Each structure stands twice: as structure tokens, then as C-alpha cells.
Amino acid sequence: MQRRFFIQLSAYTAAALAFPFTNGCAAKPMDAEAQPLFFSHLVDAKTITEAGKAYRTANPKEDDKNALKTLLLTTNGLSPSSDDKAIRTMLDSSVNNDFKTGKVTTVNGWVLSLTEARQCALFSTLQS
């Protein structure tokens, strides 16, 4: 192989790896209300999904993506058009308040606030 051809091939390969050209390489966007931030620092996505499925099984009235979004947002005085930062801030506050007021549930052995459990449930609906 000639040196010039090898250098060109190497440069094209590096460019192809550095700049994905298809949307298939991009991460799937996730709603801010579907991200249980504190719980996600403790466990992986698989555990969050399993907890969400277990919560949805135990609470069939909340086994709907739209119902979960409504419960998470309107209970906290937010609308779906709120920005992600406001949603995360309000949900973090809601998680803290749930623990302070005893609004907790046990899901797959994890003690979660009601807000976190609903976030896990929403996360699991978006993953399937």
C-alpha cells in the first residue's frame, strides 16, 4: 500500500468515526420528567426500567404515558411546555417533599418517593 493512500484512508476513517452521519448514532431524546435524577445516581437504566414496570403493574390506573406526565407535571404546578430546568428543579423539590411527608412506596425492594416511582414508570414506558 502506498503511503499517500494509507494517510488518506486513515484521515477518512478518523473523520467517519468522529462525525456520525446518521441519526441512528444519536441518543434518543428523553423527557425531563422521565429522569429520576437522584435514583439514577444509584442504579443503572435497567434497574430504573424494572422499577417502573413494577410500579405500573401495581398501579394500573397510572399505566399510561400521558397519565404519568399529567400526574408529574400538574401536581407540581407545571405545564408540558415548561423548560427542562424548571421541570427538573420542581421534581427534585417534589421528591424531597415526598420523603418529608411520608409519600413513599416500595418498588422492587427500593424505597422511592411517589414522584420518583412515577418518573421510573414514565421512563419504562418510553424505553419500550
Side-chain angles (χ1 to χ4, degrees):
M1 183 181 305
Q2 293 181 347
R3 184 182 305 196
R4 180 183 300 190
F5 180 71
F6 177 76
I7 292 172
Q8 287 175 342
L9 185 60
S10 298
Y12 292 137
T13 303
L17 293 175
F19 304 109
F21 295 111
T22 63
N23 288 335
C25 296
K28 193 164 107 175
M30 181 66 65
D31 296 333
E33 61 270 16
Q35 299 174 11
L37 290 178
F38 180 73
F39 192 50
S40 67
H41 291 293
L42 301 174
V43 298
D44 60 354
K46 181 181 175 189
T47 304
I48 294 171
T49 302
E50 290 170 357
K53 287 179 183 177
Y55 180 81
R56 289 179 16 231
T57 301
N59 300 283
K61 290 182 181 179
E62 297 182 22
D63 190 10
D64 177 61
K65 178 174 63 172
N66 294 326
L68 288 165
K69 282 186 177 191
T70 300
L71 285 168
L72 287 167
L73 294 175
T74 57
T75 303
N76 295 305
L78 296 170
S79 70
S81 62
S82 299
D83 69 329
D84 287 354
K85 186 175 181 180
I87 290 172
R88 285 189 182 101
T89 302
M90 187 57 79
L91 290 174
D92 285 344
S93 175
S94 180
V95 168
N96 287 332
N97 288 335
D98 285 353
F99 279 114
K100 288 178 185 176
T101 60
K103 292 181 184 176
V104 295
T105 185
T106 303
V107 181
N108 282 0
W110 293 96
V111 177
L112 301 174
S113 75
L114 186 58
T115 301
E116 282 180 315
R118 287 176 174 160
Q119 285 179 295
C120 290
L122 182 56
F123 183 86
S124 70
T125 62
L126 297 175
Q127 293 300 310
S128 51

